[in-house]
Amino acid sequence: MAEQLKLSKKDRVAIWWRSTFIQGSWNYERMQNGGWAFSMIPAIKRLYKTKEDRAAALQRHLEFFNTHPYVASPIIGVTLALEEERANGAPVDDKAIQGVKVGMMGPLAGIGDPTFWFTVKPILGALAASLALTGNILGPILYFVLWNLIRMGFTWYTQELGYKAGSKITEDLSGGLLQDITKGASILGMFILGSLVNRWVSVAFAPTVSEVQLDEGAYIDWDELPAGSEGIKTALEQQAAGRSLSDTSVTTLQDNLDSLIPGLAGLLITLLCMWLLRKKVSPIVMILGLFVIGIVFHSIGLM
Amino acid sequence: MDLTMIQIILVVIVAFLAGVEGILDEFHFHQPIIACTLIGLVTGELVPCLILGGTLQLIALGWANIGAAVAPDAALASVASAIILVLGGQGEEGVTSAIAIAVPLAVAGLLLTIIVRTLATGIVHLMDAAAREGNFRRVDMWHIIAIIMQGLRIAIPAALIVAIGAAPVRDLLQAMPAWLTDGLAVGGGMVVAVGYAMVINMMATREVWPFFAIGFVLATIPSITLLGLGGIGVALALIYLALTKQGGSGNGGNGNTGDPLGKIIDDY
């Protein structure tokens, strides 16, 4: 058996450093793909020697990818392990690698966004800002140092963890475990894509379908409220009790669509895009077209 | 106040860093508390800029790039408002009016971000071409050019503000029509569909389409978080694999279905 190809710690450190720039060429077509390929380059250099292999590896790592930039690290770790196995002759195909990437990116983004953007950042930011407001230079210094310590520690440690766990995935090849993972990953991937299309493609139609005058008592009567803060309290209590803020009930086209299923318009747009892609329409044309549609539809009051 | 040549160069460098970080979101040079302070440091107006940075930071606490959505641009808001504060020469008294300018700047920055992210789409096609030849250098080069483009996104406006002075900037911002900014935001909500469509085209088979439907429907329940959806997805995949094995050719296998992918996800 030929000598096993292995990524050195130096390679992994280089990859970790490069992954800092994963969002550098963020684009509307394949999002973090350029940065992902940029991060993988030290591994590809180590594992593949022929020009054809290298070109193929670069191309498969330029596929669509998007997640929270920090939790990309564990996914990079797992992918490194998979690539290592592949370079050593294991039957890891492009679909398995892409499936693992897509399957992990959604749920992990679901961890990264709330943890970093909505927990760590506001806490550090508020602490630092309160120092800065008193003219204390320690505020920004504290923010910068703590943020980067946490970030760099997290990305290095999870990349290593993913790398080690990833090797285990491919250890047992006899039981068809890899085929299972390939299929499992594409199931998970499609499931997550379904959710993402629903959550992240946002379309809202503005036109009003109907406006109904509400009965007295069904809405907050602003003229009857007590003055001052007592009035605010009463209003909030009434709203909590289910009273409407205005004396009419407005139903927009979007409300009607939502009563079918929320996110329907986003789904239709996604399906349309898929169809156009199969018709070989350039993604750039579609992106520009959607912006033009956004401006036109907003101007005529449809969105 | 007038800046010396060296100060102007340093301001542009800080602006460049903030622009790069506006997309990377790693070192956080674009966060108001860092960006404003650095501008203050290089122009000698440290304390007013520090206070501006602290105030803006509180406003921007919840701004984040989630998925493909673009948050209001903290980088341009911080850098430009700090420069305007310094040029105005009012010291701490100028902080309030600088903040009033910062918010429309954040929206203007959003437009620049969308433009650069669209331009980057062209760049990845150049990377594709380099990849086909297995040319590492050119892939690296285009990625770095994309990063530089993001830096210039803030560095150029910063240099312009220094060059033309504070007053014309204010007028310009007020002249930007709402239909354009709002319309672009509407379009920005839809363009992510293109990216998803590409992945679906790649992964979809007759066998896995039903899972797409389940994911789509479950996502309408707002109380299920993405992490929760991930859990359901892993469970569904496990169940499906186990069932196909039972009904299948009796291929044996070694029964080791301890799902490593699920374990990895759990581990984080």
Side-chain angles (χ1 to χ4, degrees), chain B residues 192-205:
Chain B
V192 294
V194 179
Y196 295 137
M198 296 180 84
V199 197
I200 296 170
N201 266 344
M202 200 169 61
M203 299 191 49
T205 57

Side-chain angles (χ1 to χ4, degrees), chain A residues 197-211:
Chain A
V197 166
N198 191 304
R199 293 266 167 102
W200 281 351
V201 182
S202 68
V203 189
F205 291 102
T208 303
V209 177
S210 67
E211 217 168 308

Side-chain angles (χ1 to χ4, degrees), chain A residues 38-115:
Chain A
F38 180 77
S39 308
M40 296 302 290
I41 280 178
I44 299 171
K45 269 188 185 158
R46 170 76 61 199
L47 297 173
Y48 300 103
K49 299 300 173 199
T50 69
K51 206 180 166 193
E52 292 72 39
D53 284 350
R54 289 182 161 186
L58 277 175
Q59 282 175 293
R60 81 172 153 269
H61 288 299
L62 277 168
E63 296 290 0
F64 177 96
F65 186 75
N66 195 43
T67 189
H68 182 286
Y70 305 171
V71 300
S73 289
I75 309 178
I76 288 175
V78 171
T79 310
L80 289 178
L82 289 174
E83 280 291 350
E84 210 175 75
E85 298 296 328
R86 179 182 172 128
N88 284 317
V92 182
D93 64 2
D94 295 4
K95 249 192 181 159
I97 290 174
Q98 186 66 8
V100 166
K101 280 162 65 180
V102 174
M104 288 177 79
M105 71 187 194
L108 284 181
I111 301 174
D113 289 334
T115 314

Side-chain angles (χ1 to χ4, degrees), chain A residues 4-5 15 17 28 36 51 69 72 108 128 133 135 137 142-143 151 159 166 186 207 209 238 259 289 298:
Chain A
Q4 289 282 306
L5 290 161
I15 290 161
W17 169 246
Y28 278 117
W36 176 275
K51 206 180 166 193
L108 284 181
L133 288 178
I137 188 74
L142 199 72
Y143 181 90
R151 171 181 68 82
Q159 185 190 310
S186 62
V209 177
Q238 291 189 356
S259 66
H298 182 73

Side-chain angles (χ1 to χ4, degrees), chain A residues 18 20-21 25 29-30 51 59 70 98 121 143 147 151 162 180 191 198-200 202 278 298, chain B residues 23 25-26 28 63 125 128 132-133 140 143 182 189 196 201-202 216 219-221 224 229 245 268:
Chain A
R18 276 170 172 251
T20 304
F21 303 95
S25 54
E29 187 183 304
R30 276 168 281 162
K51 206 180 166 193
Q59 282 175 293
Y70 305 171
Q98 186 66 8
K121 187 178 148 201
Y143 181 90
W147 180 266
R151 171 181 68 82
D180 283 0
F191 178 85
N198 191 304
R199 293 266 167 102
W200 281 351
S202 68
R278 285 181 188 169
H298 182 73
Chain B
I23 185 76
D25 234 331
E26 301 270 347
H28 275 194
W63 292 359
H125 283 270
D128 283 340
R132 275 195 290 276
E133 296 163 19
D140 281 353
H143 189 68
D182 295 348
Y196 295 137
N201 266 344
M202 200 169 61
F216 184 83
T220 60
I221 307 169
I224 305 182
L229 286 166
K245 272 219 184 83
Y268 297 107

Side-chain angles (χ1 to χ4, degrees), chain B residues 169-180:
Chain B
V169 178
R170 256 170 251 181
D171 300 341
L172 187 76
L173 285 172
Q174 277 157 4
M176 195 155 52
W179 61 262
L180 181 63

